[in-house]
């Protein structure tokens, strides 16, 4: 509702106007039913999050066991393929949905691209779910990308192994990245650069331990990525259903059918 005071060219609201508004509110039993329906989605998200945490802990423990004993220290850049993001120009940044999503450092915490670009670059790196990324400013963490595919922006790198999976890549990077961060902690703003990677090593399990780790860890890693994708779908479903249920455009029974179809 738009209210314009008599004789005024500026639209505005005042307290009497607001008090005159009427809104539709579901009955209390209907509200409780809505809570139960949407609560099923929240419960599933929480269960998936717990499973993901267990998978991550299991992978980390398995790697520690695999390098215990006769593991070898090898130059990081001999073991891992490192690709750096491109400096996409701000002049070609666009709103979400126009062009392609960029993955920037700030997006590593939310797994959601906030900026898109219409630019194409010859050395661009296309990131897919599960790729191991590292932000190169402030703090250095090997982070599995758990969002939608996008273009790697500058100051973010992707690490891969030519033979083995992404679970191994992430675990290999934990120690050297922590070392670099610790060495630079006295500076105001810390940056990771290629020279830091050149002088670092990674722990490589022996052949038998490496194969055993891969068989255990890689399926868990892929399951972790799948759980994140499912949680994203569940959260989007919950957020879409809430306003429709509260407005009466969708009945609880219909929403229940939609949730069952989603496999919850």
């Amino acid at each position: 509702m738009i209210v314009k005071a008599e004789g005024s060219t500026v639209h505005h609201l005042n307290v009497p106007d607001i008090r005159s508004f009427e809104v539709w509110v579901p009955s209390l039993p209907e509200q409780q039913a809505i809570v139960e329906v949407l609560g099923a989605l929240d419960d599933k998200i929480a269960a998936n999050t717990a499973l993901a945490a267990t998978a991550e802990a299991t992978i980390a423990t398995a790697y520690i066991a695999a390098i215990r004993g006769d593991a070898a220290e090898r130059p990081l850049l001999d073991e891992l393929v490192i690709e750096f993001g491109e400096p996409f120009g701000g002049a070609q940044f666009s709103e979400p949905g126009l062009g392609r999503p960029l993955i920037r450092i700030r997006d590593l915490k939310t797994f959601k691209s906030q900026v898109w670009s219409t630019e194409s670059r010859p050395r661009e790196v296309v990131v897919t779910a599960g790729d191991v990324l590292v932000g190169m400013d402030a703090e250095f963490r090997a982070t599995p990308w758990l969002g939608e595919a996008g273009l790697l922006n500058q100051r973010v790198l992707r690490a891969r192994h030519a033979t083995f999976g992404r679970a191994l890549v992430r675990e290999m990077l934990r120690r050297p990245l922590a070392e670099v961060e610790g060495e630079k902690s006295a500076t105001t703003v810390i940056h990771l650069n290629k020279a830091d990677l050149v002088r670092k090593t990674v722990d490589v399990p022996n052949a038998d331990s490496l194969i055993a780790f891969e068989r255990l860890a890689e399926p868990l890693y892929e399951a972790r990525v799948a759980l994140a994708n499912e949680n994203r779908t569940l959260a989007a479903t919950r957020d879409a259903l809430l306003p429709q249920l509260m407005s009466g455009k969708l009945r609880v029974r219909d929403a229940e059918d939609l949730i069952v179809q989603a496999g919850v």
Side-chain angles (χ1 to χ4, degrees):
M1 178 183 294
I2 299 176
V3 179
K4 184 168 69 173
E6 184 176 353
S8 172
T9 59
V10 180
H11 294 175
H12 67 277
L13 289 174
N14 53 45
V15 173
D17 294 326
I18 295 174
R19 287 176 176 169
S20 70
F21 291 170
E22 293 183 0
V23 296
W24 183 85
V25 178
S27 66
L28 183 57
E30 185 79 3
Q31 292 181 45
Q32 292 172 335
I34 290 171
V35 169
E36 291 179 5
V37 169
L38 299 184
L41 294 171
D42 287 331
D43 290 344
K44 179 61 174 173
I45 291 172
N48 284 351
T49 302
L51 283 173
T54 300
E56 289 197 354
T58 302
I59 292 170
T61 300
Y63 180 73
I64 292 172
I67 62 174
R68 186 178 295 122
D70 59 348
E73 274 194 48
R74 296 177 185 164
L76 187 152
L77 294 184
D78 286 354
E79 286 295 317
L80 301 179
V81 178
I82 303 297
E83 300 165 290
F84 298 96
E86 285 285 280
F88 288 90
Q92 291 173 276
F93 285 1
S94 58
E95 295 296 323
L98 180 60
R100 294 176 293 171
L102 294 182
I103 298 174
R104 302 183 294 172
I105 289 180
R106 67 191 67 182
D107 303 326
L108 299 183
K109 294 185 181 295
T110 64
F111 304 115
K112 185 175 182 180
S113 298
Q114 301 297 322
V115 171
W116 291 45
S117 176
T118 56
E119 183 179 1
S120 294
R121 299 186 64 86
R123 298 178 61 185
E124 63 188 31
V125 177
V126 179
V127 174
T128 58
D131 283 352
V132 179
L133 308 182
V134 179
M136 301 174 67
D137 294 328
E139 61 180 23
F140 315 136
R141 303 287 185 272
T143 303
W145 177 249
L146 300 177
E148 297 179 351
L151 299 172
L152 196 65
N153 198 45
Q154 63 182 342
R155 307 306 302 160
V156 186
L157 66 82
R158 178 173 70 180
R160 297 183 294 114
H161 196 284
T163 305
F164 295 99
R166 297 177 292 190
L168 179 67
V169 172
R170 187 188 186 197
E171 297 308 316
M172 278 185 169
L173 284 171
R174 289 184 189 272
R175 177 182 59 78
L177 290 179
E179 289 175 354
V180 174
E181 186 172 325
E183 293 162 1
K184 298 189 175 189
S185 61
T187 60
T188 304
V189 180
I190 61 176
H191 303 285
L192 179 68
N193 53 57
K194 188 173 181 179
D196 296 318
L197 303 177
V198 167
R199 61 186 176 82
K200 286 301 176 181
T201 62
V202 293
D203 298 313
V204 182
N206 64 44
D208 291 340
S209 297
L210 187 52
I211 292 172
F213 173 82
E214 184 81 356
R215 287 175 177 170
L216 170 67
E218 198 58 24
L220 289 174
Y221 188 91
E222 295 303 323
R224 169 72 181 93
V225 174
L227 287 169
N229 183 61
E230 183 178 36
N231 273 3
R232 189 165 57 249
T233 300
L234 292 170
T237 300
R238 177 199 60 206
D239 295 344
L241 289 177
L242 177 58
Q244 294 189 60
L245 287 167
M246 291 301 294
S247 67
K249 293 180 179 179
L250 184 69
R251 309 307 299 175
V252 170
R253 182 171 298 177
D254 296 327
E256 290 173 338
D257 291 340
L258 291 173
I259 290 174
V260 170
Q261 292 172 16
V264 179

